[in-house]
Amino acid sequence: MASLSEEVLLVVKKVRQRKQDGTLYLMAERIAWGPEGKDRFSVSHLYADIRCQKISPDGKAKIQLQLVLHTGESTTFHFSNESSALKDRDAAKELLQQLLPKFKKKANKELEEKNRMLQEDPVLFQLYKDLVVSQVISADEFWANRLGDINSADSAVSNNKQEVGISGAFLADIRPQTDGCNGLRYNLTADIIESIFRTYPAVKQKYSENVPHNLTEKEFWTRFFQSHYFHRDRINTGTQDIFSECAKQDEKGLKSMVVQGVKNPLVDLLSLEDKTLDEGYGVGTTLPSTSNRTVKDSSNSAIIKRFNHHSAMVLAAGSRKGEAPADQASETSSTDGNSRDSDFFQPPVKKVKLQEAIEYEDLQRENRPKTVALNLKKSDRYAHGPVPLQSQHYSTSQDIINSVSYIQHEMANYKPNLTQVLSSTAASSAISALSPGGVLMQAATQQAINQMVPTDIQGELKHLYVAAGELLRHFWSCFPVNTPFLEEKVIKMKSNLERFQMTKLRPFQEKIQRQYLSTNLTGHLEEMLQTAYSKFHVWQTRRMMRKT
Amino acid sequence: MKLNIDGLLVYFPYDYIYPEQYSYMLELKRTLDAKGHGVLEMPSGTGKTISLLSLIVAYQKAFPLEVTKLIYCSRTVPEIEKVVEELRKLMEFYSKQTGESNNFLALALSSRKNLCIHPEVSALRFGKEVDGKCHSLTASYIRAQRHADPDQPVCRFYEEFDSVGRQVPLPAGIYNLDDLKDFGRRKGWCPYYLARYSILHANIVVYSYHYLLDPKIADLVSKELAKKSVVVFDEAHNIDNVCIDSMSVNITRRTLDRCQTNVDTLQNTIQNIKETDAVKLKQEYRRLVEGLKEANVARETDVYLANPVLPDEILQEAVPGTIRTAEHFVGFLRRFLEYLKSRLRVHHVVQESTPQFLKDIFDKVCIDRKPLRFCAERLQSLLRTLEIADIADFSAVTLISNFATLVSTYSQGFTIIIEPFEDRTPTIANPVLHFSCMDPSIAIKPVFQRFQSVIITSGTLSPLDIYPRILDFRPVTMASFTMTLARTCLCPLIVGRGNDQVALSSKFETREDFAVIRNYGNLLLEMSAVVPDGIVAFFTSYVYMENIVASWYEQGILENIQRNKLIFIETPDAAETSMALEKYQEACENGRGAILLSVARGKVSEGIDFVHHFGRAVIMFGVPYVYTQSRILKARLEYLRDQFQIRENDFLTFDAMRHAAQCVGRAIRGKTDYGLMIFADKRYARADKRGKLPRWIQEHINDGSLNLTVDEAVHLSKHFLRQMAQPFKQEDQLGLSLLTLEQLESEEMLQKIAQIAHQT
């Protein structure tokens, strides 16, 4: 049985499943159950497949543990050992609790990904063998460069999962249930906790500060639900409450949001009024000053504030992730010079909003689809691509027309000058000299390389090229060397190249020499390496000079 | 397209036109021809502004001597900017069609806060600070002092404008606030003073109501505007309140305390000056004897508010002898202040008329009416003589002196109410003296008298006849236009009952009733599940909203609503509400959907549009009656009854319904837009309420939707929304609610158009 080699973490006997007695095994990667007296598992789930576990409430006659799978199926185990059923169940539950998150996190996801890539891409796999297995470069180095590419290239594929927002009512979903004796039970799932953390970063901070050194997780959440922070309508009573600080932080966050102001001038109520009446004028009933507001009033306004804050946070939590890459994109795009000053050219939000507000789309004739205007600072750069900073001579369209008509004219008047052509013998000898095998075509032997060189050598040469290319790519990517890290790397890469030459290229050269093939085959490889070395030397001498 | 409006060639910068726009322009033309005033109601989103601008600009071009200037007043800064942008579009169309470059000068004017380009001054956040700082750099005597002491700080923009800017008039063009700033930056001139100077010769001026209606500002800014101007008050449904606000004064104990300090400072400064520069005071005295007001023409930079009373009430006499010397005047102020303090010490509510007040003050402290009338004038002169830099500190004493002048000038239309405490907190002493204007016609009268045509227009002016009555003028045209629709894109529903048949109403007796609150919550909950994107809900008052939100929270209704949409709530704090609004729009944009709980008469209901998906449904919880227990309101109602024969209930209902219409109208901003309008109060079904809604809403309320239950309303909404979600193209509208030039000129269409205007 395959599971023999697996590590068994826990064995619980007398567990019933579908009215059948059996034994529950918790192993390193899966949970399994086998009926009594048989040596195979009738139930086996990988931890990664399990979404969550549920347990029967305390005090119920049947002590059960239910596993819910991602597929929606569920399996229920009934712990039937009279004396220690509860203990058994709790032991299993505790262990599962520790194990499940590990598999959820998928820490090994990256590894899987690497594995998948190697399997899918034989060239890469060969390269990996050539470079990493033969210890030319370390595996980390190999992947450091690869994964970056992959992430950006495949992001559409691998990060395709859309960021899930937060339900506005996640707090409402935590329905308290009375447990019959003046207490309340709250059911928290990992999703809800995640929602709370994302919406209220202050709580997350408290959590990481206090759990597990000061409080257990359960105590933490108990306090959370007891705190006035959760029941915002209660007026602050206890100052020891760990969440009073959160409330203050929220307040601060709200204030900073308010201070930031709004981007859209059309909704800015502060600048709506042009000229407010001076103090003391007007019939407007003066607002009741805050000092004589009753407790009830201020608790009501606290609720209102809370809803505004909550909604804003939910909204922000949903969009936070999405914004980050957009920022990056704008950063990178701003380096090409074209869009550097683009924000100067973009009409300010205000203008756009105003135009939107006065537009009557149905009064205009065409409703042509709105396109995004290409925002070019230098349109000639768009048309011609980057050009060296030299005075350029462009031919005007008139010139072009002139020359075309001139050529047409020439062609029309073309008369072959038959007296000055080559003699037929000279012509035929020239043709034969230029034909394959002719005198002038001696150098064109490369075509025949696949005939001259045996296939195994060809394959080997190919691998060498790929490996050398990869190494050189690493080497060249270090330039310009502007960080100490790159410096280190370039030196390492140079030694890698040398090692490659020694361990791979030399034996190959000797091999083809032994087979009396033209050593020219590796000439180009050598050349590439030499270029790299000379670049390295130039860099090194320059560095030395700078140092001294 | 080019239109022929009753013989006038009008350039209209679109290829199509709504029939009601044509009709609107016809009415407008008649009003201008008659050189009279007009009241025009046309639904928002039917291109009111562009119709107005097209016609008046055409009129100006055709009869340059008849109409020299258009003064366009709007309420908010974004509105003002929108108007200028539409004007820009029109002018571009003109120059494209005629090939001539535009020779019109049009500009927007706003407060310093929106126009200042001085790096330090413009960084300040509040309008008052900006004004004060600007004044401390540009006041006439500060600049005079600088001649002696060149190290004094200076606003180079103003100096530059002052030395060169006046010679060359602003080149023709359309200047929005930002354009003015740009221009100012380029030239190094102060945009604010440039704009204020340029409105005198501009063809079109766009600014806010206050520059025309508040006598304190109007006298400074709009005094010299030509008589042959056309004045337009857009969004004028609240114009009476603006008038009243500009003439009313509240005095609290704090005001008096600050005033006391001000008077002390004045006294000390006078003492100092007397020792150093007695000549100055003597000169002032002489000036006052001669009654030469002109002798110290207020420099434009001096931010002293002008006289609070209206131009024709200002006396052309010399300041009376009793307050002519500076010390005497300060003594006079002290006496007046003591008197006010004694009045604020009352323990019961006092209400009296201005003559009663004047008599009392004469009996108690022997202050005559005449010196009181000169109080504001005299204080200005004194402040100027004393060269006090920061006028903001003297706001309290200015307020008191303005009050003195107002109270002694008007014997009618005002009332004085002294309340020793707030009604809600009878144990806490917080005495306030309300000097309240009850007659909006006082402030607007000079406008009607001075300018040849005044147009009052808005999306919601129903019932039309009440405005001429409360503003006391005779319009030559009054018309209400409907919105011609190719599809019924608005769906007004009156929800009068809950599913359990409990009558829904926000009236006082059932206000705290849990059944009503629960049913309201139920309505919102059900709607949040049905309506896509944004829902805006309005409550009758802030306190009411707070209570409802609290009990919805306790009952768990809000939690359930959160399952469908995010909830944002208006707060009394404007900055916080702005943020909530922006987040609300963000939530509507990204498809999550949101609900905004807001207050009728609040800032949101007045100034924010909820176009398209920002407001697919508006729910009006209750009838937004004004707080009727206020004594000021009672006094005003009494006054309206006595003077204008308007019954209290009529006025209250009118006021409530115009606010309700404003609220629900926020959702429909055009013919391609659509939205539900839910009136959740059974009282809306009554004819007297319903009849006061604008015609374009009334038309679509059918008898079947007068007293719906929540379920029925949800059912109808679903049906409506499903229908509206179908694609709606231009072709569908063409010929019905959208016309080409040819269609417009056809006989039968012209006949139809004649019916659109609803004459009253």
Side-chain angles (χ1 to χ4, degrees), chain A residues 166 173 263 272 274 280-282 308 311 362 364-365, chain B residues 15 18 77 81 110 248 250 402 563 567 569 582 592 730:
Chain A
I166 294 174
D173 289 335
K263 288 188 212 100
L272 213 56
D274 185 22
Y281 297 94
N308 278 341
S311 300
D362 46 351
Q364 250 110 7
R365 186 168 289 275
Chain B
D15 303 312
Y18 298 140
V77 179
E81 294 190 297
S110 179
S248 301
N250 300 308
N402 280 344
R563 282 178 215 278
I567 299 176
I569 307 172
E582 197 180 49
R592 199 182 254 280
Q730 202 170 30

PDB file of all heavy atoms in Angstrom, chain A residues 166 173 263 272 274 280-282 308 311 362 364-365, chain B residues 15 18 77 81 110 248 250 402 563 567 569 582 592 730:
ATOM      1  N   ILE A 166     -15.145  42.574  -0.802  1.00  0.00           N
ATOM      2  CA  ILE A 166     -15.711  42.190   0.476  1.00  0.00           C
ATOM      3  C   ILE A 166     -17.196  42.483   0.439  1.00  0.00           C
ATOM      4  O   ILE A 166     -17.605  43.529  -0.060  1.00  0.00           O
ATOM      5  CB  ILE A 166     -15.043  42.998   1.598  1.00  0.00           C
ATOM      6  CG1 ILE A 166     -13.590  42.586   1.681  1.00  0.00           C
ATOM      7  CG2 ILE A 166     -15.737  42.790   2.905  1.00  0.00           C
ATOM      8  CD1 ILE A 166     -12.815  43.408   2.639  1.00  0.00           C
ATOM      9  N   ASP A 173     -23.379  39.154   8.605  1.00  0.00           N
ATOM     10  CA  ASP A 173     -23.408  37.709   8.449  1.00  0.00           C
ATOM     11  C   ASP A 173     -22.980  36.976   9.716  1.00  0.00           C
ATOM     12  O   ASP A 173     -23.210  35.785   9.857  1.00  0.00           O
ATOM     13  CB  ASP A 173     -22.491  37.289   7.294  1.00  0.00           C
ATOM     14  CG  ASP A 173     -23.084  37.705   5.975  1.00  0.00           C
ATOM     15  OD1 ASP A 173     -24.319  37.843   5.927  1.00  0.00           O
ATOM     16  OD2 ASP A 173     -22.338  37.915   5.015  1.00  0.00           O
ATOM     17  N   LYS A 263     -11.807  64.639  -5.072  1.00  0.00           N
ATOM     18  CA  LYS A 263     -11.195  64.988  -6.347  1.00  0.00           C
ATOM     19  C   LYS A 263     -12.188  65.655  -7.280  1.00  0.00           C
ATOM     20  O   LYS A 263     -11.846  66.510  -8.069  1.00  0.00           O
ATOM     21  CB  LYS A 263     -10.646  63.713  -6.992  1.00  0.00           C
ATOM     22  CG  LYS A 263      -9.422  63.175  -6.303  1.00  0.00           C
ATOM     23  CD  LYS A 263      -8.838  62.032  -7.116  1.00  0.00           C
ATOM     24  CE  LYS A 263      -8.182  60.998  -6.230  1.00  0.00           C
ATOM     25  NZ  LYS A 263      -9.007  59.816  -5.985  1.00  0.00           N
ATOM     26  N   LEU A 272     -19.036  74.579  -2.681  1.00  0.00           N
ATOM     27  CA  LEU A 272     -20.255  74.731  -3.457  1.00  0.00           C
ATOM     28  C   LEU A 272     -20.757  76.168  -3.388  1.00  0.00           C
ATOM     29  O   LEU A 272     -21.035  76.800  -4.390  1.00  0.00           O
ATOM     30  CB  LEU A 272     -21.305  73.790  -2.890  1.00  0.00           C
ATOM     31  CG  LEU A 272     -22.289  73.190  -3.857  1.00  0.00           C
ATOM     32  CD1 LEU A 272     -21.566  72.462  -4.951  1.00  0.00           C
ATOM     33  CD2 LEU A 272     -23.191  72.239  -3.116  1.00  0.00           C
ATOM     34  N   ASP A 274     -20.745  79.990  -3.080  1.00  0.00           N
ATOM     35  CA  ASP A 274     -19.773  80.975  -3.496  1.00  0.00           C
ATOM     36  C   ASP A 274     -19.452  81.904  -2.356  1.00  0.00           C
ATOM     37  O   ASP A 274     -18.320  82.055  -1.935  1.00  0.00           O
ATOM     38  CB  ASP A 274     -20.327  81.767  -4.668  1.00  0.00           C
ATOM     39  CG  ASP A 274     -19.301  82.720  -5.198  1.00  0.00           C
ATOM     40  OD1 ASP A 274     -18.112  82.468  -4.958  1.00  0.00           O
ATOM     41  OD2 ASP A 274     -19.682  83.708  -5.834  1.00  0.00           O
ATOM     42  N   GLY A 280     -23.603  85.495  11.950  1.00  0.00           N
ATOM     43  CA  GLY A 280     -24.552  86.408  12.546  1.00  0.00           C
ATOM     44  C   GLY A 280     -25.656  86.866  11.621  1.00  0.00           C
ATOM     45  O   GLY A 280     -26.664  87.390  12.062  1.00  0.00           O
ATOM     46  N   TYR A 281     -25.463  86.646  10.310  1.00  0.00           N
ATOM     47  CA  TYR A 281     -26.526  87.028   9.390  1.00  0.00           C
ATOM     48  C   TYR A 281     -27.349  85.805   9.042  1.00  0.00           C
ATOM     49  O   TYR A 281     -26.892  84.668   9.158  1.00  0.00           O
ATOM     50  CB  TYR A 281     -25.948  87.641   8.119  1.00  0.00           C
ATOM     51  CG  TYR A 281     -25.197  88.919   8.372  1.00  0.00           C
ATOM     52  CD1 TYR A 281     -23.831  88.914   8.556  1.00  0.00           C
ATOM     53  CD2 TYR A 281     -25.894  90.126   8.461  1.00  0.00           C
ATOM     54  CE1 TYR A 281     -23.140  90.086   8.809  1.00  0.00           C
ATOM     55  CE2 TYR A 281     -25.214  91.303   8.707  1.00  0.00           C
ATOM     56  CZ  TYR A 281     -23.838  91.280   8.878  1.00  0.00           C
ATOM     57  OH  TYR A 281     -23.179  92.436   9.133  1.00  0.00           O
ATOM     58  N   GLY A 282     -28.529  86.045   8.550  1.00  0.00           N
ATOM     59  CA  GLY A 282     -29.352  84.939   8.082  1.00  0.00           C
ATOM     60  C   GLY A 282     -30.303  84.448   9.140  1.00  0.00           C
ATOM     61  O   GLY A 282     -30.094  84.658  10.331  1.00  0.00           O
ATOM     62  N   ASN A 308     -20.668  55.337   7.431  1.00  0.00           N
ATOM     63  CA  ASN A 308     -19.880  55.975   6.382  1.00  0.00           C
ATOM     64  C   ASN A 308     -18.485  55.375   6.318  1.00  0.00           C
ATOM     65  O   ASN A 308     -17.971  55.079   5.248  1.00  0.00           O
ATOM     66  CB  ASN A 308     -19.767  57.480   6.635  1.00  0.00           C
ATOM     67  CG  ASN A 308     -20.989  58.209   6.143  1.00  0.00           C
ATOM     68  OD1 ASN A 308     -21.731  57.670   5.317  1.00  0.00           O
ATOM     69  ND2 ASN A 308     -21.206  59.394   6.636  1.00  0.00           N
ATOM     70  N   SER A 311     -18.519  51.708   5.027  1.00  0.00           N
ATOM     71  CA  SER A 311     -18.715  51.606   3.581  1.00  0.00           C
ATOM     72  C   SER A 311     -17.472  52.052   2.830  1.00  0.00           C
ATOM     73  O   SER A 311     -17.067  51.423   1.852  1.00  0.00           O
ATOM     74  CB  SER A 311     -19.902  52.461   3.148  1.00  0.00           C
ATOM     75  OG  SER A 311     -21.058  52.038   3.794  1.00  0.00           O
ATOM     76  N   ASP A 362     -27.984  63.518 -26.729  1.00  0.00           N
ATOM     77  CA  ASP A 362     -28.985  63.277 -27.762  1.00  0.00           C
ATOM     78  C   ASP A 362     -29.186  64.484 -28.664  1.00  0.00           C
ATOM     79  O   ASP A 362     -29.826  64.373 -29.702  1.00  0.00           O
ATOM     80  CB  ASP A 362     -30.313  62.823 -27.155  1.00  0.00           C
ATOM     81  CG  ASP A 362     -30.724  63.667 -25.978  1.00  0.00           C
ATOM     82  OD1 ASP A 362     -29.889  64.476 -25.538  1.00  0.00           O
ATOM     83  OD2 ASP A 362     -31.854  63.520 -25.509  1.00  0.00           O
ATOM     84  N   GLN A 364     -26.671  66.109 -29.999  1.00  0.00           N
ATOM     85  CA  GLN A 364     -25.615  66.102 -30.998  1.00  0.00           C
ATOM     86  C   GLN A 364     -25.963  65.161 -32.133  1.00  0.00           C
ATOM     87  O   GLN A 364     -26.725  64.218 -31.951  1.00  0.00           O
ATOM     88  CB  GLN A 364     -24.306  65.650 -30.366  1.00  0.00           C
ATOM     89  CG  GLN A 364     -23.307  66.760 -30.238  1.00  0.00           C
ATOM     90  CD  GLN A 364     -23.112  67.158 -28.806  1.00  0.00           C
ATOM     91  OE1 GLN A 364     -23.629  66.507 -27.917  1.00  0.00           O
ATOM     92  NE2 GLN A 364     -22.375  68.215 -28.563  1.00  0.00           N
ATOM     93  N   ARG A 365     -25.357  65.419 -33.262  1.00  0.00           N
ATOM     94  CA  ARG A 365     -25.735  64.619 -34.416  1.00  0.00           C
ATOM     95  C   ARG A 365     -25.260  63.169 -34.300  1.00  0.00           C
ATOM     96  O   ARG A 365     -26.048  62.252 -34.270  1.00  0.00           O
ATOM     97  CB  ARG A 365     -25.194  65.238 -35.703  1.00  0.00           C
ATOM     98  CG  ARG A 365     -25.687  64.532 -36.943  1.00  0.00           C
ATOM     99  CD  ARG A 365     -25.375  65.354 -38.156  1.00  0.00           C
ATOM    100  NE  ARG A 365     -26.195  66.547 -38.245  1.00  0.00           N
ATOM    101  CZ  ARG A 365     -27.416  66.560 -38.778  1.00  0.00           C
ATOM    102  NH1 ARG A 365     -27.943  65.459 -39.224  1.00  0.00           N
ATOM    103  NH2 ARG A 365     -28.101  67.668 -38.855  1.00  0.00           N
TER     104      ARG A 365
ATOM    105  N   ASP B  15     -27.382  70.121 -33.208  1.00  0.00           N
ATOM    106  CA  ASP B  15     -28.019  69.737 -34.462  1.00  0.00           C
ATOM    107  C   ASP B  15     -29.490  69.441 -34.291  1.00  0.00           C
ATOM    108  O   ASP B  15     -30.260  69.455 -35.242  1.00  0.00           O
ATOM    109  CB  ASP B  15     -27.336  68.494 -35.025  1.00  0.00           C
ATOM    110  CG  ASP B  15     -25.856  68.736 -35.212  1.00  0.00           C
ATOM    111  OD1 ASP B  15     -25.522  69.779 -35.792  1.00  0.00           O
ATOM    112  OD2 ASP B  15     -25.044  67.916 -34.742  1.00  0.00           O
ATOM    113  N   TYR B  18     -34.936  70.191 -28.540  1.00  0.00           N
ATOM    114  CA  TYR B  18     -36.149  69.687 -27.890  1.00  0.00           C
ATOM    115  C   TYR B  18     -37.269  70.675 -28.169  1.00  0.00           C
ATOM    116  O   TYR B  18     -37.037  71.890 -28.142  1.00  0.00           O
ATOM    117  CB  TYR B  18     -35.958  69.598 -26.378  1.00  0.00           C
ATOM    118  CG  TYR B  18     -34.871  68.665 -25.911  1.00  0.00           C
ATOM    119  CD1 TYR B  18     -34.038  69.017 -24.853  1.00  0.00           C
ATOM    120  CD2 TYR B  18     -34.694  67.414 -26.487  1.00  0.00           C
ATOM    121  CE1 TYR B  18     -33.056  68.164 -24.402  1.00  0.00           C
ATOM    122  CE2 TYR B  18     -33.712  66.555 -26.041  1.00  0.00           C
ATOM    123  CZ  TYR B  18     -32.889  66.934 -25.002  1.00  0.00           C
ATOM    124  OH  TYR B  18     -31.921  66.091 -24.541  1.00  0.00           O
ATOM    125  N   VAL B  77     -21.011  77.400  -7.120  1.00  0.00           N
ATOM    126  CA  VAL B  77     -19.829  77.608  -7.970  1.00  0.00           C
ATOM    127  C   VAL B  77     -19.814  76.647  -9.164  1.00  0.00           C
ATOM    128  O   VAL B  77     -19.593  77.085 -10.298  1.00  0.00           O
ATOM    129  CB  VAL B  77     -18.537  77.493  -7.137  1.00  0.00           C
ATOM    130  CG1 VAL B  77     -17.326  77.684  -8.020  1.00  0.00           C
ATOM    131  CG2 VAL B  77     -18.536  78.514  -6.027  1.00  0.00           C
ATOM    132  N   GLU B  81     -19.787  77.702 -13.171  1.00  0.00           N
ATOM    133  CA  GLU B  81     -18.796  77.251 -14.156  1.00  0.00           C
ATOM    134  C   GLU B  81     -19.459  76.528 -15.322  1.00  0.00           C
ATOM    135  O   GLU B  81     -19.024  76.650 -16.461  1.00  0.00           O
ATOM    136  CB  GLU B  81     -17.771  76.359 -13.462  1.00  0.00           C
ATOM    137  CG  GLU B  81     -16.958  77.148 -12.454  1.00  0.00           C
ATOM    138  CD  GLU B  81     -15.784  76.365 -11.920  1.00  0.00           C
ATOM    139  OE1 GLU B  81     -16.037  75.330 -11.286  1.00  0.00           O
ATOM    140  OE2 GLU B  81     -14.645  76.785 -12.119  1.00  0.00           O
ATOM    141  N   SER B 110     -16.413  85.311  -8.908  1.00  0.00           N
ATOM    142  CA  SER B 110     -16.649  84.553  -7.681  1.00  0.00           C
ATOM    143  C   SER B 110     -15.847  85.217  -6.570  1.00  0.00           C
ATOM    144  O   SER B 110     -15.170  86.214  -6.790  1.00  0.00           O
ATOM    145  CB  SER B 110     -16.218  83.110  -7.896  1.00  0.00           C
ATOM    146  OG  SER B 110     -16.426  82.382  -6.721  1.00  0.00           O
ATOM    147  N   SER B 248     -31.301  89.399   7.382  1.00  0.00           N
ATOM    148  CA  SER B 248     -31.591  89.046   8.768  1.00  0.00           C
ATOM    149  C   SER B 248     -30.314  88.985   9.604  1.00  0.00           C
ATOM    150  O   SER B 248     -29.245  88.715   9.093  1.00  0.00           O
ATOM    151  CB  SER B 248     -32.290  87.685   8.830  1.00  0.00           C
ATOM    152  OG  SER B 248     -33.472  87.735   8.106  1.00  0.00           O
ATOM    153  N   ASN B 250     -28.709  87.746  13.540  1.00  0.00           N
ATOM    154  CA  ASN B 250     -28.871  87.073  14.833  1.00  0.00           C
ATOM    155  C   ASN B 250     -27.804  87.580  15.781  1.00  0.00           C
ATOM    156  O   ASN B 250     -26.641  87.662  15.415  1.00  0.00           O
ATOM    157  CB  ASN B 250     -28.687  85.561  14.696  1.00  0.00           C
ATOM    158  CG  ASN B 250     -29.692  84.972  13.753  1.00  0.00           C
ATOM    159  OD1 ASN B 250     -30.887  85.195  13.908  1.00  0.00           O
ATOM    160  ND2 ASN B 250     -29.220  84.255  12.756  1.00  0.00           N
ATOM    161  N   ASN B 402     -24.740  97.258  11.794  1.00  0.00           N
ATOM    162  CA  ASN B 402     -25.654  96.965  10.702  1.00  0.00           C
ATOM    163  C   ASN B 402     -27.065  96.731  11.216  1.00  0.00           C
ATOM    164  O   ASN B 402     -28.043  97.175  10.619  1.00  0.00           O
ATOM    165  CB  ASN B 402     -25.200  95.718   9.937  1.00  0.00           C
ATOM    166  CG  ASN B 402     -24.080  96.024   8.969  1.00  0.00           C
ATOM    167  OD1 ASN B 402     -23.847  97.191   8.662  1.00  0.00           O
ATOM    168  ND2 ASN B 402     -23.401  95.009   8.514  1.00  0.00           N
ATOM    169  N   ARG B 563     -26.400  44.013   2.605  1.00  0.00           N
ATOM    170  CA  ARG B 563     -26.180  42.857   1.733  1.00  0.00           C
ATOM    171  C   ARG B 563     -26.338  43.253   0.268  1.00  0.00           C
ATOM    172  O   ARG B 563     -25.754  42.632  -0.612  1.00  0.00           O
ATOM    173  CB  ARG B 563     -27.190  41.763   2.045  1.00  0.00           C
ATOM    174  CG  ARG B 563     -26.862  40.980   3.261  1.00  0.00           C
ATOM    175  CD  ARG B 563     -27.953  39.955   3.486  1.00  0.00           C
ATOM    176  NE  ARG B 563     -28.151  39.780   4.903  1.00  0.00           N
ATOM    177  CZ  ARG B 563     -27.395  38.995   5.648  1.00  0.00           C
ATOM    178  NH1 ARG B 563     -26.413  38.336   5.110  1.00  0.00           N
ATOM    179  NH2 ARG B 563     -27.626  38.876   6.932  1.00  0.00           N
ATOM    180  N   ILE B 567     -23.903  51.657   2.290  1.00  0.00           N
ATOM    181  CA  ILE B 567     -24.724  52.748   2.796  1.00  0.00           C
ATOM    182  C   ILE B 567     -23.850  53.952   3.110  1.00  0.00           C
ATOM    183  O   ILE B 567     -22.828  53.830   3.787  1.00  0.00           O
ATOM    184  CB  ILE B 567     -25.474  52.325   4.068  1.00  0.00           C
ATOM    185  CG1 ILE B 567     -26.407  51.159   3.748  1.00  0.00           C
ATOM    186  CG2 ILE B 567     -26.260  53.489   4.644  1.00  0.00           C
ATOM    187  CD1 ILE B 567     -27.106  50.605   4.947  1.00  0.00           C
ATOM    188  N   ILE B 569     -24.184  58.112   4.442  1.00  0.00           N
ATOM    189  CA  ILE B 569     -25.152  58.967   5.123  1.00  0.00           C
ATOM    190  C   ILE B 569     -24.621  60.392   5.205  1.00  0.00           C
ATOM    191  O   ILE B 569     -23.450  60.607   5.510  1.00  0.00           O
ATOM    192  CB  ILE B 569     -25.435  58.424   6.541  1.00  0.00           C
ATOM    193  CG1 ILE B 569     -25.844  56.946   6.468  1.00  0.00           C
ATOM    194  CG2 ILE B 569     -26.530  59.235   7.204  1.00  0.00           C
ATOM    195  CD1 ILE B 569     -25.966  56.266   7.796  1.00  0.00           C
ATOM    196  N   GLU B 582     -18.451  61.249  -2.561  1.00  0.00           N
ATOM    197  CA  GLU B 582     -17.519  60.761  -3.565  1.00  0.00           C
ATOM    198  C   GLU B 582     -17.435  59.242  -3.521  1.00  0.00           C
ATOM    199  O   GLU B 582     -17.431  58.571  -4.554  1.00  0.00           O
ATOM    200  CB  GLU B 582     -16.127  61.357  -3.354  1.00  0.00           C
ATOM    201  CG  GLU B 582     -15.290  61.189  -4.587  1.00  0.00           C
ATOM    202  CD  GLU B 582     -13.895  61.751  -4.439  1.00  0.00           C
ATOM    203  OE1 GLU B 582     -13.234  61.456  -3.445  1.00  0.00           O
ATOM    204  OE2 GLU B 582     -13.486  62.483  -5.331  1.00  0.00           O
ATOM    205  N   ARG B 592     -20.909  48.165  -7.470  1.00  0.00           N
ATOM    206  CA  ARG B 592     -21.330  47.609  -6.199  1.00  0.00           C
ATOM    207  C   ARG B 592     -22.710  48.134  -5.815  1.00  0.00           C
ATOM    208  O   ARG B 592     -23.496  47.432  -5.222  1.00  0.00           O
ATOM    209  CB  ARG B 592     -20.316  47.986  -5.131  1.00  0.00           C
ATOM    210  CG  ARG B 592     -20.360  47.140  -3.916  1.00  0.00           C
ATOM    211  CD  ARG B 592     -19.351  47.662  -2.928  1.00  0.00           C
ATOM    212  NE  ARG B 592     -18.185  46.831  -2.813  1.00  0.00           N
ATOM    213  CZ  ARG B 592     -18.142  45.723  -2.090  1.00  0.00           C
ATOM    214  NH1 ARG B 592     -19.198  45.310  -1.464  1.00  0.00           N
ATOM    215  NH2 ARG B 592     -17.040  45.043  -2.003  1.00  0.00           N
ATOM    216  N   GLN B 730     -31.222  57.464 -30.460  1.00  0.00           N
ATOM    217  CA  GLN B 730     -31.635  58.789 -30.881  1.00  0.00           C
ATOM    218  C   GLN B 730     -32.852  58.707 -31.797  1.00  0.00           C
ATOM    219  O   GLN B 730     -33.766  59.519 -31.704  1.00  0.00           O
ATOM    220  CB  GLN B 730     -30.474  59.431 -31.627  1.00  0.00           C
ATOM    221  CG  GLN B 730     -30.555  60.921 -31.649  1.00  0.00           C
ATOM    222  CD  GLN B 730     -29.266  61.508 -32.187  1.00  0.00           C
ATOM    223  OE1 GLN B 730     -28.590  60.900 -32.992  1.00  0.00           O
ATOM    224  NE2 GLN B 730     -28.936  62.683 -31.748  1.00  0.00           N
TER     225      GLN B 730
END
